[in-house]
Amino acid sequence: MPLRAPSFLSPEEAKCLSPENVADIFQTNISSGLTDHQVDKLQAEYGRNELHEDDEESLFSKFLDQFKEPMILMLLGSAIVSCLVGAFSDAISIILAVLIVCSVAFVQEYRSDQALDALKDLVTYHAKVVRNGHVQNINAAELCVGDLIEINTGDRIPADVRIVDQVQLTINESLFTGEGEPAKKIVEAVSDNEPLMPSSRKATDVSGCPNIAFQGSLTSSGNARGIVIATSHNTELGKIHSILKSLEEGQTPLQESMDKLAKHISILSFGIIIVIFLIGILTNKSWLEMFTMGISLAVAAIPEGLPIVVTVTLAMGVTRMAKKNVIIRKLPSVEALGAVNVVCVDKTGTLTQNEMTVTSIYTPGTPSEHSDTYVQVTGVGYLPRDGGLYRRPVQDFSSNSKHSQTRVNVEQPGQESLRMLLSIGAVCNNSTITHDGQLVGVPTEGALVAVAQKAGLTREKEIWNRVAEIPFNSTEKWMAVEVQNNMKGSRPVYFMKGATETVLDKCSRYYMNDENIRPLTDDVRERITRVSDKFADSSLRVMALAFGPSLNTARNGEPATADDDMIFVGIVGIYDPPRPGVDKSIEQLLSAKVKVVMITGDSRKTALAIARELKMIPDENQHQSALDIGSPRTARAAQANKNRNFADPDDHHAMGPRDLLHVEDFRERLSDVCVFYRMSPLHKMKIVQAFKDEGYIVAMTGDGVNDAPALKLSNIGIAMGRSGTDVSKESSDMILVDDNFSSIEAAIEEGKSIFNNIKNFLRYQLTTSVSCIGIIIYCTIFGYPLPLNPMQILWINIIMDGPPAQSLGVEPVDEEVMKCPPRDTKKPIISSRMIFSVLLNAVVMMIGTLYVFTSEMEEDGIVNSRDTSMVFTTFVMYQVFNALNCRSENRSVFSLGLFKNTAFLVAVGGSVLGQLAMIYLPFMQFIFETEALSVGDWGLILSLTSTVFVLEEVIKFFGRFSEKKD
């Protein structure tokens, strides 16, 4: 044994060594793992299992980057020209203005980076490691070489690992090989000249290492244990880390469209500015004055801050969502949330609590139905002391029905079938329950372990030694283990659990006791099926259990025969209560014309029962009223479906796997269906694609490795934070930390609010730009002196287009936003209604400002400091009232609440105070060429500028009245 463990072992070396040799090299125990002392020493010596990023750019460097913007360079050029002609006060003022603009932009960018970095820290990956003989769930960054880890289906491999034990393990290594077919893994050592495995045709290092699991690859099926042989940059993934780092997140469609908008407005503005400059030169005005005015006008007219504001608004929205247990992994998903009109959701753990409890058990007796055994299980959770097994009435299958006072003892004669059923459930199982009632594993399996412990069966896995396992398959819906009784030394048998119809197809007999195993006749099959259906009608998930010496089934899909010798034992009903508040969230989404679709692997009856409990199935007179949002084709299909005559009315709302085979009928019925039952992950892709083809914006939830394709295919992939596998989280756009469906409603609400806030900001800034340009053009064309000097225009740009405009981006969520249908992503951001509002308000502001200007000029025919002070203050106060208008496109500011947006009040109040300083402070009067105004002047200004607010309120009132009338 070496004196110290190496920092890593290459895959080429590790694959040639036995598991015992690898354990010796790293001084670890192949069954109990490292000790805490060894871990501390290794972590101190070799560091954390992290791929470090490049050194972050300094804050000073980021601040200097703000001066590279074209508009800032133009301002600096104007300041330099001012210095050359001796206008030092103008140059100093412009430089101060530039510093303010760059400082604001820097702070905004810094806050955005901090918000996104905080969210990245929330999305961490974990690993199950064996240390000191105990399984621990730790952050993957805490792993070190020599650690013994457990790998399960859906896990992302946290480091390079030498497999030491495995059951049906396959791993997707496409990250390295480019091959989509998962690679089968083995335990045995291989030699360097060993031929590649049959499934691998590319002579790559990875494909030539069948006993190594590589960091970053994804577990497709099975489970295993392995020893960590490399971490951090010593892994294969570390070698290609530089390539992965180059993959940057692109702009969102919203950001791209707004950048294009800014570009088009900029081109138009520059064209207008050039015309103004040429007109000024032709009219013998000072070229320096016109040049400076042109530069200042460019700053006022060009919405150069739009991309920054969009990013900040989105980032702040992401932060707010994190507080609501929603982690946004990809920024583009924020804007798409407001457009989602279909939510495809898993039932278990999202709509329900994912706290499975066996509540009902049935085992068949003699051919007489009266000899069957019905048992009710009490208690909730995984502590065996919380509940017991009792006889129950034959005809009552509800989860909350009363039981008899007779407690069942499975060790007594006559209870052999019940004991066998509980043993199968406990042994055909990969989950465990800790002493304090904490589940380690899958909730469905945890329910089977818990019910066995409630019956006093706590040592079943010691009695039955597991030989092999056939993992659960989501397509076939069953799992089996090969076991041998350690007490009796009998030959191996198979324990099996799965869907009732699947297990029945594999069985030829049923079990009463060891001496009484009867043929599984059609009558008994029908009786079992009838009980299974009644369980499902009571919102129970149904699972059947069986055992036998062989899992062979007859070919061509025919039922099993006696030669196959699988023996049916009974069924259990597992209850998973709906999450509190989910029904209200679904009702809220439906009222907002967002279709909610449940996709589940449960039976038709169970799925429909849960859907009714959650009020997903509409009344007949409503007939899925939330579906008016689809394309014309979907609307026609919905109307046609109303005239369909189904044998079962529930066929309007439910579909199974066979229904998906009839493509045209399947797509036509999409408008009505809200329940898809017996679905596999492959079916989810087909469902999502069908909805997208019909013009819907689809959000899809998932938690398993096989859900990843559907998550990526959907517009918004939503992974589960608690139950979700690593691969599902990596494929998602957002993660529900608490796995709660109500969080989806909150995210959609936030997404709608974010988009509305961006539109409000855009409306405000465009109004300012259009009115400012209009005033300058009018004065230039008709020969009037310029009403605003360059410093005043800069003040308007810095103050009025800064904090007040940006505070519109943090407007709180409007409680009525969920009453509006999802937005149409095909329509442009600037709607005809926005154009009308911008032009109308801009014209009103131009007329009022020019009226004040011409009225003041008539006294002496020249522009003095009083004239510019009146015009300057008038224009600023127009912006204050216009900012109030832009808080909402439809609602009155009085219904929104004057004091609801604190940031807006502070920003507007600060701007007004700043304007007062411009007018009344002597040194500010010198810089901005202003003078004090009287109370009468303020009366005129306020009465005039408030007209833009009154006019908009009247338009909103009639708009709301018209909508109610429609």
Side-chain angles (χ1 to χ4, degrees):
M1 182 177 292
L3 296 178
R4 56 191 294 269
S7 60
F8 73 99
L9 190 64
S10 71
E12 288 79 8
E13 295 174 305
K15 74 175 184 179
C16 302
L17 302 173
S18 68
E20 292 76 13
N21 289 338
V22 174
D24 289 341
I25 290 175
F26 288 106
Q27 304 177 32
T28 187
N29 189 292
I30 204 167
S31 41
S32 61
L34 296 172
T35 64
D36 290 338
H37 175 72
Q38 289 176 299
V39 170
D40 292 339
K41 183 178 179 181
L42 288 168
Q43 288 179 346
E45 187 170 1
Y46 300 129
R48 293 166 60 86
N49 179 34
E50 293 177 324
L51 296 174
H52 300 288
E53 303 290 340
D54 291 336
D55 292 337
E56 187 177 357
E57 188 179 6
S58 67
L59 294 179
F60 181 71
S61 177
K62 289 182 178 181
F63 180 71
L64 291 180
D65 288 341
Q66 306 302 324
F67 293 85
K68 298 178 182 179
E69 295 293 328
M71 295 301 101
I72 300 300
L73 294 175
M74 292 178 65
L75 282 174
L76 292 175
S78 178
I80 293 173
V81 173
S82 298
C83 289
L84 294 176
V85 297
F88 296 107
S89 60
D90 287 344
I92 293 173
S93 300
I94 292 174
I95 291 174
L96 288 175
V98 168
L99 289 174
I100 294 174
V101 170
C102 291
S103 297
V104 171
F106 167 73
V107 171
Q108 290 175 336
E109 183 178 328
Y110 176 76
R111 289 180 61 189
S112 175
D113 290 342
Q114 290 294 104
L116 294 178
D117 288 343
L119 291 176
K120 290 178 182 179
D121 292 339
L122 290 176
V123 185
T124 57
Y125 295 96
H126 294 79
K128 290 182 179 178
V129 60
V130 181
R131 290 176 179 171
N132 302 306
H134 301 290
V135 179
Q136 305 174 29
N137 194 7
I138 67 170
N139 190 317
E142 302 296 332
L143 283 176
C144 52
V145 290
D147 262 327
L148 180 66
I149 69 169
E150 292 187 351
I151 302 170
N152 295 296
T153 301
D155 289 347
R156 183 180 69 167
I157 307 300
D160 283 1
V161 177
R162 171 63 165 91
I163 305 299
V164 300
D165 185 26
Q166 62 90 23
V167 177
Q168 302 289 323
L169 182 66
T170 63
I171 296 179
N172 186 330
E173 296 174 338
S174 58
L175 175 65
F176 302 98
T177 65
E179 298 177 356
E181 185 70 21
K184 294 182 179 180
K185 292 298 177 179
I186 62 175
V187 174
E188 295 77 14
V190 296
S191 59
D192 274 331
N193 57 2
E194 178 118 348
L196 298 179
M197 299 182 69
S199 61
S200 302
R201 295 184 178 181
K202 295 183 179 180
T204 63
D205 291 337
V206 171
S207 60
C209 300
N211 50 18
I212 306 294
F214 293 90
Q215 182 183 27
S217 55
L218 303 167
T219 310
S220 300
S221 65
N223 55 76
R225 279 192 172 193
I227 296 175
V228 175
I229 61 173
T231 60
S232 187
H233 290 279
N234 293 321
T235 64
E236 291 299 307
L237 184 63
K239 297 176 183 178
I240 61 171
H241 182 52
S242 57
I243 299 177
L244 297 179
K245 286 193 299 183
S246 65
L247 300 177
E248 298 179 355
E249 192 176 74
Q251 282 188 308
T252 72
L254 178 62
Q255 287 175 309
E256 291 177 354
S257 60
M258 294 194 77
D259 281 350
K260 292 178 181 177
L261 174 66
K263 181 179 179 180
H264 294 158
I265 294 177
S266 299
I267 294 174
L268 178 62
S269 300
F270 274 116
I272 295 173
I273 291 167
I274 291 173
V275 171
I276 293 174
F277 182 77
L278 292 177
I279 292 175
I281 297 298
L282 295 175
T283 54
N284 296 321
K285 293 184 179 180
S286 169
W287 69 269
L288 178 61
E289 178 185 1
M290 296 308 298
F291 176 76
T292 307
M293 176 60 69
I295 296 296
S296 301
L297 187 60
V299 176
I302 298 172
E304 69 276 5
L306 275 180
I308 297 176
V309 171
V310 170
T311 302
V312 170
T313 303
L314 293 177
M316 293 181 67
V318 167
T319 305
R320 289 196 298 270
M321 288 185 188
K323 296 178 181 178
K324 298 178 180 179
N325 291 323
V326 177
I327 297 175
I328 303 295
R329 295 189 63 252
K330 301 175 183 177
L331 203 58
S333 60
V334 183
E335 68 177 82
L337 282 168
V340 167
N341 48 26
V342 170
V343 179
C344 297
V345 58
D346 276 332
K347 177 184 75 69
T348 304
T350 308
L351 297 177
T352 59
Q353 297 183 31
N354 201 21
E355 294 180 357
M356 305 289 189
T357 303
V358 174
T359 60
S360 301
I361 300 176
Y362 165 80
T363 59
T366 62
S368 172
E369 187 172 353
H370 297 290
S371 65
D372 293 347
T373 300
Y374 299 89
V375 174
Q376 179 169 349
V377 184
T378 61
V380 178
Y382 302 112
L383 286 174
R385 62 175 179 270
D386 294 340
L389 281 65
Y390 297 85
R391 293 284 183 182
R392 72 180 305 165
V394 174
Q395 299 300 325
D396 192 354
F397 298 93
S398 61
S399 60
N400 58 355
S401 64
K402 294 183 179 180
H403 56 78
S404 69
Q405 298 300 316
T406 306
R407 187 157 185 164
V408 178
N409 185 346
V410 297
E411 302 294 349
Q412 291 182 347
Q415 304 300 329
E416 291 85 358
S417 61
L418 179 59
R419 194 193 194 291
M420 176 59 76
L421 179 144
L422 296 175
S423 296
I424 295 172
V427 176
C428 187
N429 201 307
N430 288 318
S431 298
T432 57
I433 297 176
T434 62
H435 295 294
D436 58 352
Q438 296 299 313
L439 172 66
V440 180
V442 181
T444 305
E445 293 188 337
L448 296 175
V449 175
V451 71
Q453 292 181 353
K454 290 176 182 178
L457 305 181
T458 59
R459 298 179 58 249
E460 296 307 292
K461 288 189 177 181
E462 299 176 14
I463 297 174
W464 296 93
N465 178 49
R466 182 184 294 202
V467 178
E469 174 187 338
I470 301 176
F472 176 81
N473 184 294
S474 59
T475 303
E476 308 226 353
K477 298 188 180 299
W478 62 271
M479 170 192 174
V481 293
E482 185 180 6
V483 296
Q484 190 169 16
N485 192 309
N486 292 326
M487 310 292 290
K488 299 180 180 179
S490 59
R491 66 191 182 106
V493 296
Y494 287 93
F495 283 178
M496 175 186 184
K497 70 174 188 285
T500 304
E501 60 270 25
T502 302
V503 174
L504 279 175
D505 285 344
K506 289 183 175 292
C507 294
S508 59
R509 298 182 290 171
Y510 73 96
Y511 180 87
M512 293 186 64
N513 55 56
D514 291 343
E515 287 76 31
N516 193 358
I517 300 178
R518 295 171 175 266
L520 191 59
T521 64
D522 291 341
D523 289 341
V524 178
R525 288 178 185 271
E526 182 181 350
R527 201 162 80 222
I528 294 170
T529 302
R530 187 166 63 249
V531 174
S532 177
D533 290 343
K534 289 182 178 179
F535 277 16
D537 286 337
S538 301
S539 302
L540 301 180
R541 172 177 288 188
V542 185
M543 185 175 295
L545 299 102
F547 74 100
S550 173
L551 283 172
N552 295 328
T553 56
R555 296 181 180 179
N556 302 322
E558 295 297 327
T561 65
D563 294 335
D564 303 311
D565 214 22
M566 284 303 290
I567 303 167
F568 187 87
V569 179
I571 59 176
V572 296
I574 303 174
Y575 185 61
D576 185 12
R579 285 181 177 271
V582 167
D583 54 344
K584 293 182 179 179
S585 297
I586 291 175
E587 184 179 1
Q588 183 78 4
L589 288 173
L590 291 177
S591 67
K593 298 189 182 299
V594 178
K595 180 178 176 65
V596 182
V597 176
M598 181 173 73
I599 304 177
T600 179
D602 286 342
S603 67
R604 181 177 184 272
K605 290 182 176 291
T606 301
L608 284 168
I610 291 290
R612 286 194 179 89
E613 190 172 352
L614 296 175
K615 302 177 182 178
M616 291 180 61
I617 299 179
D619 296 333
E620 288 300 321
N621 56 354
Q622 293 176 334
H623 202 74
Q624 207 69 344
S625 60
L627 299 177
D628 301 331
I629 55 177
S631 62
R633 176 182 172 184
T634 304
R636 291 193 299 269
Q639 185 62 39
N641 286 334
K642 292 182 180 180
N643 302 322
R644 287 174 179 256
N645 293 318
F646 291 102
D648 186 340
D650 285 334
D651 287 340
H652 271 293
H653 312 296
M655 274 191 178
R658 292 183 180 179
D659 297 315
L660 271 60
L661 299 177
H662 308 287
V663 178
E664 288 301 321
D665 183 66
F666 162 51
R667 292 180 181 272
E668 288 180 358
R669 291 178 57 195
L670 277 177
S671 58
D672 280 327
V673 174
C674 55
V675 174
F676 290 91
Y677 60 91
R678 286 291 186 232
M679 292 293 155
S680 69
L682 294 178
H683 293 134
K684 292 181 180 181
M685 290 185 63
K686 190 171 184 179
I687 294 168
V688 170
Q689 187 61 59
F691 275 118
K692 291 181 67 176
D693 291 344
E694 293 297 319
Y696 290 100
I697 305 299
V698 185
M700 174 76 205
T701 71
D703 56 6
V705 59
N706 292 328
D707 291 331
L711 292 175
K712 279 198 171 183
L713 183 62
S714 65
N715 300 96
I716 299 289
I718 305 174
M720 302 297 107
R722 291 180 180 174
S723 61
T725 56
D726 291 339
V727 60
S728 67
K729 293 175 184 178
E730 286 186 345
S731 302
S732 69
D733 300 290
M734 56 185 279
I735 300 173
L736 302 184
V737 176
D738 56 359
D739 295 5
N740 195 342
F741 178 81
S742 298
S743 300
I744 299 178
E745 181 211 351
I748 291 177
E749 182 180 59
E750 188 71 45
K752 287 186 173 185
S753 179
I754 287 172
F755 184 77
N756 288 342
N757 288 348
I758 291 174
K759 285 182 63 178
N760 293 337
F761 163 81
L762 182 59
R763 183 158 66 107
Y764 174 82
Q765 193 167 54
L766 288 178
T767 304
T768 302
S769 299
V770 172
S771 59
C772 187
I773 292 176
I775 291 171
I776 302 301
I777 291 177
Y778 179 87
C779 293
T780 303
I781 292 178
F782 291 98
Y784 285 96
L786 298 176
L788 300 172
N789 61 47
M791 289 306 303
Q792 291 170 349
I793 293 179
L794 284 176
W795 172 260
I796 291 172
N797 179 67
I798 294 170
I799 299 301
M800 296 313 300
D801 285 0
Q806 291 156 17
S807 67
L808 293 172
V810 295
E811 183 73 26
V813 175
D814 185 356
E815 60 268 16
E816 294 188 0
V817 71
M818 289 301 288
K819 296 180 181 179
C820 302
R823 65 181 176 88
D824 188 348
T825 55
K826 297 179 182 178
K827 293 182 179 180
I829 298 174
I830 302 181
S831 62
S832 57
R833 181 172 183 174
M834 182 188 290
I835 294 174
F836 172 78
S837 176
V838 167
L839 294 179
L840 178 64
N841 291 328
V843 169
V844 171
M845 292 159 59
M846 286 171 52
I847 293 174
T849 304
L850 291 172
Y851 167 75
V852 172
F853 178 56
T854 54
S855 298
E856 292 294 325
M857 271 189 57
E858 287 178 355
E859 297 182 2
D860 51 16
I862 62 173
V863 179
N864 53 36
S865 59
R866 171 179 167 76
D867 299 340
T868 58
S869 299
M870 286 291 291
V871 174
F872 183 28
T873 306
T874 298
F875 193 80
V876 168
M877 294 311 298
Y878 264 127
Q879 304 311 310
V880 170
F881 285 109
N882 185 49
L884 287 171
N885 291 336
C886 293
R887 285 184 61 192
S888 174
E889 187 176 22
N890 304 309
R891 296 187 63 191
S892 167
V893 68
F894 300 106
S895 63
L896 287 174
L898 289 172
F899 306 102
K900 193 174 181 180
N901 188 346
T902 305
F904 178 82
L905 292 176
V906 172
V908 172
S911 298
V912 173
L913 291 176
Q915 183 63 24
L916 293 175
M918 302 299 105
I919 300 299
Y920 294 106
L921 294 181
F923 76 94
M924 299 294 279
Q925 290 176 342
F926 172 76
I927 295 175
F928 287 88
E929 300 177 10
T930 59
E931 67 178 53
L933 301 178
S934 67
V935 175
D937 294 333
W938 276 103
L940 173 64
I941 291 172
L942 293 177
S943 61
L944 189 64
T945 55
S946 61
T947 56
V948 71
F949 173 73
V950 175
L951 178 62
E952 186 70 17
E953 285 290 311
V954 172
I955 293 174
K956 289 180 180 179
F957 173 79
F958 283 105
R960 293 193 301 272
F961 179 78
S962 177
E963 289 177 359
K964 290 181 179 179
K965 186 176 180 181
D966 293 339

